[in-house]
Amino acid sequence: QVQLVESGGGLVQPGGSLRLSCAASGSTFSIAIMGWYRQAPGKSRELVATITGVFNTDYADSVKGRFTISRDTSKSAVHLQMNNLKPEDTAVYYCMMKAHVLAPPYWGQGTQVTVSE
């Protein structure tokens, strides 16, 4: 069993930055894919960024150049550095981890990110 806990969300002004972290506990040795998704009211859950291994990353077009995903291999943790935040980034952000591309994902409970004056 794998349990994920997100942290780092909060309220930030447009143009500001936040760093989200997701810590995994349980049997995490088989986890190969980590990522962040988000869901805003009235929208479906969408991919923000994923990372496989150390170097393979993928980003949504809307966050490219602003967000950076990274992982801490020694701690089974994944982070999302979010810079130049915009109001449209406001959403609940969810951490995801899974063993391979076709495996069912493990999800965190989500952390709220609000970008507003």
Side-chain angles (χ1 to χ4, degrees), residues 40-63:
K43 295 184 177 180
S44 60
R45 185 176 297 185
E46 66 174 351
L47 169 72
V48 177
T50 59
I51 183 167
T52 59
V54 178
F55 304 108
N56 296 323
T57 59
D58 190 28
Y59 295 91
D61 288 343
S62 59
V63 307

Side-chain angles (χ1 to χ4, degrees), residues 6 35-37 39 45 92-96 107-110:
E6 301 101 332
W36 291 94
Y37 290 70
Q39 187 166 20
R45 185 176 297 185
V92 177
Y93 284 70
Y94 297 91
C95 176
M96 183 279 295
W107 293 101
Q109 286 296 114

